Amino acid sequence: MKQTTKALIGICIQIAVFLFAAGSHAAIPAQLRGNDYVTVDTVTPRTFLYPPICFSAEATTFDPDTYSTATVTADLNEMRSVGYNCVRSFLGSRWNEPGKVGSGQRLNPKLIENTVDFVQRARDRGFFVVFSFGFVPTSYYDQIDDVCDPASPIYDPTYSIQPITVPNDPSTTYTYAACPYAEGYNLLFVHKGVVRAQVQLVSDMLDAMSAIDATLVAQGAFAIEIMNEPYFDSECLPFSITDGTLTVTLDQARTYNMDVTDPANDRQLLADNMLRYWLNHTIPAIKARYPSVPVIVSTFTPYTTGRSLATGFCNPNGSGFTGVLNYPILPDKRQPMRATVINESAADIISVHGSPIPLGAPTYDMSHDMRSAEIDQLTTTTKRLIIGEFWVPRQWFPTIESAASNAVSFQMQSVAWGFSGWMFWNWKASDWSACDSDRSIHNMLSPLFRPDPSKNADVRIIHPVSASTWYYGLNAEIEWMSNIATAGNNFTFSLAFDGEQKIDLGSGQGYGGRGRKTVQLPVTHADVNAFRATSVTRPDLLAEVPLTLDAKTSASKWFLYR
């Protein structure tokens, strides 16, 4: 939930594997465990009118010029090797390059080909894919502006064509179909033309993918998320109105009390009804075209924006800001969508984004975080709950050890709140990424080493093999992984003892005494070989790295449980 990049990026993909046999979506994984898979680059500033914004950073993971099948294959294989079953990626906004408005090319064929290629590679490795859509591309603006055309079925005489100068692009003036009661980011959820174009974008993308490979839908290979982290902007219409009343026509006209000094104002009710309008005019329309494709709706916790409540619009200051200023992007004008309102919709899965950052307190309190998003009120929901993004910023977690342990703790605590899926932000090139340092985060969150997400296996990863580190503990389990290992070979390692001890390697082999002992065990499997070294007498067993293999084998990673 990075305001500077993720709020500006359009599409995300989430991958998963183990089957979930609930409802009609039998292919939805029972437990989502994985990473976000996002490459963000600085690009030529791109202008969007809906909402009016100009930005210069976007996801390029599936960019027609940079998409690499070799890199994708290697990364998916590495994730799968430690049991991950989901990967999440933002596709960005390059839907129609080099096509322009009116060119007849709404979607870039190469981008669609890359997307299908990714899904196929993921599916072939047992993954399940989810697409999350963002901004409507410029190639759909003709559909949006139809709201001002008397001949259009969505014509609304209260809308009007207006000039606008987009931020960061002052040299050019554009025109757009102005909504009388919403502006900026809030347009995405109530503008009749934008909502219709969003549905058309999703439908066109699914049609284009199915035209290349119809089995992707038939086999239930993916789900969709209409938008990544939707939110309302507390500084834009209609919420910039702080007194008097406002009449808004969504499905029907209603007058709202907007006075921030009145505790009984209707500001939060308006936000909730705007969200209901968006959900009710997108999800059913998409399901009518593709009824077998599950739909995910995401939000992020108000806690991460400095708020203590999801009902921030009814607070006296209009945004619910709590005054906590130790998070770099606070105060934050974003008001997340309420999970309790999403729960009313036809969505299949609610995806919540959060982080174990300690706002306004020495330590992180998940109960404060989850209650800010009203997750405690979803105890009887029939929808699946997942953590679509969670991250560990360096500002609070300066070492890889603290970052990894807090990521694990966040995942463990969230199980009790009803979550059954987790995607860590980010695989590469982020604040702390899964691939940083010795891949501690990547491995400590993986299903191979922590099959039960509610329990801590206390994993420490040693990578590369040449590292030299000492580890203490009563029990030590070393797992060796190598894709090129051959059964029948041997590998050796050293154990060092501080004092008189005896250890048992689980196969009747006992080692004891003072000093270093060399141990040799056979390779029994081509992928993972493990044993447990248990101190029989004292809890100060030392395992020393480097661990060495004989000449016939080559290790890629060593893992030490303690």
Side-chain angles (χ1 to χ4, degrees), residues 147-209:
V147 71
C148 293
D149 182 355
S152 170
I154 64 168
Y155 172 66
D156 188 328
T158 65
Y159 286 68
S160 60
I161 297 294
Q162 298 287 340
I164 185 174
T165 299
V166 178
N168 299 327
D169 192 9
S171 62
T172 306
T173 299
Y174 303 86
T175 60
Y176 80 115
C179 176
Y181 45 78
E183 64 183 357
Y185 209 82
N186 300 334
L187 283 173
L188 296 173
F189 313 106
V190 295
H191 192 296
K192 294 180 180 179
V194 174
V195 172
R196 183 183 73 159
Q198 187 76 42
V199 172
Q200 191 63 52
L201 168 64
V202 174
S203 299
D204 287 351
M205 183 64 178
L206 298 183
D207 289 346
M209 292 177 61

Side-chain angles (χ1 to χ4, degrees), residues 475-557:
N475 297 317
E477 179 174 330
I478 300 173
E479 285 211 8
W480 170 59
M481 296 183 60
S482 176
N483 292 331
I484 62 173
T486 303
N489 292 334
N490 293 321
F491 65 95
T492 61
F493 64 96
S494 296
L495 292 176
F497 303 93
D498 180 15
E500 294 296 329
Q501 291 190 57
K502 181 178 180 182
I503 65 168
D504 181 5
L505 296 180
S507 59
Q509 295 176 280
Y511 296 83
R514 183 183 298 273
R516 182 174 301 163
K517 306 293 181 181
T518 298
V519 181
Q520 186 176 80
L521 293 176
V523 176
T524 56
H525 303 287
D527 50 0
V528 177
N529 293 269
F531 63 88
R532 181 174 295 278
T534 304
S535 174
V536 178
T537 55
R538 289 178 54 183
D540 53 359
L541 168 69
L542 302 182
E544 184 187 12
V545 181
L547 309 178
T548 61
L549 301 173
D550 64 13
K552 295 181 181 179
T553 56
S554 176
S556 57
K557 300 181 184 66

Side-chain angles (χ1 to χ4, degrees), residues 111-370:
L111 183 144
I112 298 171
E113 291 175 10
N114 292 343
T115 304
V116 170
D117 177 82
F118 183 83
V119 179
Q120 290 171 331
R121 291 175 188 276
R123 176 196 58 186
D124 293 346
R125 288 159 177 78
F127 290 98
F128 178 82
V129 183
V130 177
F131 294 99
S132 177
F133 295 79
F135 293 153
V136 175
T138 56
S139 54
Y140 284 78
Y141 283 3
D142 58 327
Q143 290 197 355
I144 297 175
D145 292 343
D146 276 356
V147 71
C148 293
D149 182 355
S152 170
I154 64 168
Y155 172 66
D156 188 328
T158 65
Y159 286 68
S160 60
I161 297 294
Q162 298 287 340
I164 185 174
T165 299
V166 178
N168 299 327
D169 192 9
S171 62
T172 306
T173 299
Y174 303 86
T175 60
Y176 80 115
C179 176
Y181 45 78
E183 64 183 357
Y185 209 82
N186 300 334
L187 283 173
L188 296 173
F189 313 106
V190 295
H191 192 296
K192 294 180 180 179
V194 174
V195 172
R196 183 183 73 159
Q198 187 76 42
V199 172
Q200 191 63 52
L201 168 64
V202 174
S203 299
D204 287 351
M205 183 64 178
L206 298 183
D207 289 346
M209 292 177 61
S210 297
I212 298 175
D213 186 349
T215 66
L216 297 180
V217 173
Q219 295 176 355
F222 61 88
I224 62 169
E225 187 177 352
I226 306 170
M227 183 179 297
N228 176 55
E229 292 187 354
Y231 65 87
F232 291 118
D233 188 330
S234 62
E235 297 179 354
C236 290
L237 279 176
F239 305 109
S240 57
I241 299 175
T242 58
D243 57 13
T245 61
L246 176 68
T247 299
V248 175
T249 302
L250 298 173
D251 286 320
Q252 58 185 7
R254 179 165 184 163
T255 299
Y256 297 86
N257 174 7
M258 303 298 288
D259 189 349
V260 295
T261 65
D262 183 354
N265 68 62
D266 298 321
R267 297 169 61 82
Q268 188 62 52
L269 175 62
L270 173 57
D272 293 344
N273 284 343
M274 290 170 65
L275 175 56
R276 291 185 179 100
Y277 178 86
W278 181 62
L279 295 173
N280 293 339
H281 285 263
T282 52
I283 299 176
I286 294 168
K287 284 180 172 287
R289 291 283 302 274
Y290 287 92
S292 65
V293 178
V295 176
I296 294 174
V297 177
S298 68
T299 186
F300 50 98
T301 65
Y303 172 89
T304 56
T305 68
R307 295 175 173 83
S308 60
L309 299 171
T311 55
F313 282 121
C314 66
N315 286 8
N317 66 358
S319 64
F321 178 57
T322 62
V324 179
L325 292 172
N326 62 334
Y327 194 43
I329 62 173
L330 296 180
D332 194 324
K333 65 181 182 178
R334 295 172 300 163
Q335 178 67 44
M337 305 300 195
R338 294 178 71 184
T340 50
V341 177
I342 298 172
N343 191 47
E344 301 171 6
S345 73
D348 300 291
I349 298 173
I350 300 175
S351 175
V352 179
H353 301 177
S355 173
I357 51 179
L359 288 180
T363 59
Y364 170 72
D365 183 351
M366 177 165 280
S367 63
H368 183 190
D369 193 357
M370 292 298 118

